[in-house]
Structures are given as C-alpha cells and as structure tokens.
Amino acid sequence: KQEVTQIPAALSVPEGENLVLNCSFTDSAIYNLQWFRQDPGKGLTSLLLIQSSQREQTSGRLNASLDKSSGRSTLYIAASQPGDSATYLCAVENSNYQLIWGAGTKLIIKP
Amino acid sequence: SQTIHQWPATLVQPVGSPLSLECTVEGTSNPNLYWYRQAAGRGLQLLFYSVGIGQISSEVPQNLSASRPQDRQFILSSKKLLLSDSGFYLCAWAGDPSYEQYFGPGTRLTVT
C-alpha cells in the first residue's frame, strides 16, 4: 500500500531564504507526482506535476525534483516571500488516476 | 480554458437532514471527476471518483453517495447527515494528456 510522508510538518523561515520541502513515497510504481498549495480555508492550487519519466519541473521560483528509485521528491522555493506562506501538499498518482496524499508541510515566511 | 465550479461555498445543516453538493466543469470533455473531504486539521480523503457518466467508484464506506448525471457534472449526496460529515468538500477534475488534477474552491459543510 502506497504511503506518502512529508517532512517537516511545519517550517518557519525569514523572508528571502531558499528552502526545501521533502516528500517520500513507499512504492515507486507511480504515474506522476504533484505538488499543491493550499491557503487557509481555500481549495488547492496545482503548482507542479512531474511525470514518472521526468526528473524535475520548474515554474518561476519553484523547482520540483523526482527520484523514483529512492521514492523521493523535493520542492525547492527560491527567495521566499511572505505570500508563499501556505500549506504545501505532495501527492502521487497511481495507474488508476487516484492521488495518494501526504499530510502537508505548513510554511510560514516571516517578513 | 477549463474552469471548475462548486456550490454552495458554505452550508450549515442539522443532523439527519439531506445533502446535495454540486460540481461542474467547463472547457473539457470526458474528464475524470473526484470528490474529496478534508476534516479540520487532517489530510485529504478521496470519497468518490468517476471516469465517465454513470460510473462511480467509492473509496470509503459511509452514508454519502455520488452521481454523475452528465459528462461534466458531479453530485455528492446524503439522505441523512451525521455530525462526522462536517468538513471541507473538494471537487477535482483531471483529463488528457497529463491527468493533472485541478480543484474547485470547495464547500465548507458544518453539521449541527
């Protein structure tokens, strides 16, 4: 059974720092991996999707990497801003198009 | 471009009352559709998913049901709500080519 773990559960850093969020999964047979952002009381916003055959994806200040063999993905945020404060969720998709979710990392960027 | 709508945005219902939440998608055809629930301080739980009209798969046994009467419409229902049904309900769609999931704004349900 696929399990997804996100570390740390919470992170607080000063504005301007670069940071890394971690996601690990137990079964490497995944279709893709997605990173999402959720603001308090809001829906989810898709940030990046990495297909199982890809190693990384970039969007602006965000870079996500995928190492399927070791069951790991990282989300790198460069030059963090207070507006980046949110909960970041990692999810892996199986061959039935279902997402298995991590519990999230709550990120606070201090001005 | 594709958009996904959910309504209502918030709902307060007494225990034992019925429920109907609606989700519609625009700008795509034959999407996969999903209902999730997020309880306070908890992760997302997949409730139902559908790969086509009338095709519903349930992930969690409960007093909720789902229907897909049209290609881009997904409805979550209950005949009698329980206190434990309170939560944030999210609808999502995915489609060709990447099957990346996109979420609606959610419905916050409070059962009193």
Side-chain angles (χ1 to χ4, degrees), chain B residues 1 16 18 66 70 82:
Chain B
S1 65
Q70 300 181 42
L82 306 172

Side-chain angles (χ1 to χ4, degrees), chain A residues 31-32 34 36 38 41-44 46 48-49 51 89 93 96-99 101, chain B residues 32 34 36 38 44 46 49 59 88 90 97-105 108:
Chain A
Y31 187 71
N32 62 42
Q34 285 188 251
F36 295 87
Q38 186 175 29
K42 304 291 185 181
L44 276 70
S46 178
L48 290 164
L49 178 145
Q51 299 286 0
L89 294 159
E93 186 165 328
N96 292 325
Y97 306 120
Q98 297 174 48
L99 289 176
W101 296 84
Chain B
N32 288 355
Y34 306 83
Y36 291 90
Q38 188 176 38
L44 275 83
L46 177 64
Y49 71 96
E59 290 299 300
F88 192 44
L90 290 158
S98 68
Y99 285 89
E100 183 172 359
Q101 289 197 18
Y102 297 95
F103 283 76
R108 186 159 304 280

Side-chain angles (χ1 to χ4, degrees), chain A residues 46-58:
Chain A
S46 178
L47 297 174
L48 290 164
L49 178 145
I50 311 177
Q51 299 286 0
S52 61
S53 58
Q54 296 175 323
R55 286 281 192 165
E56 66 176 350
Q57 284 287 333
T58 298

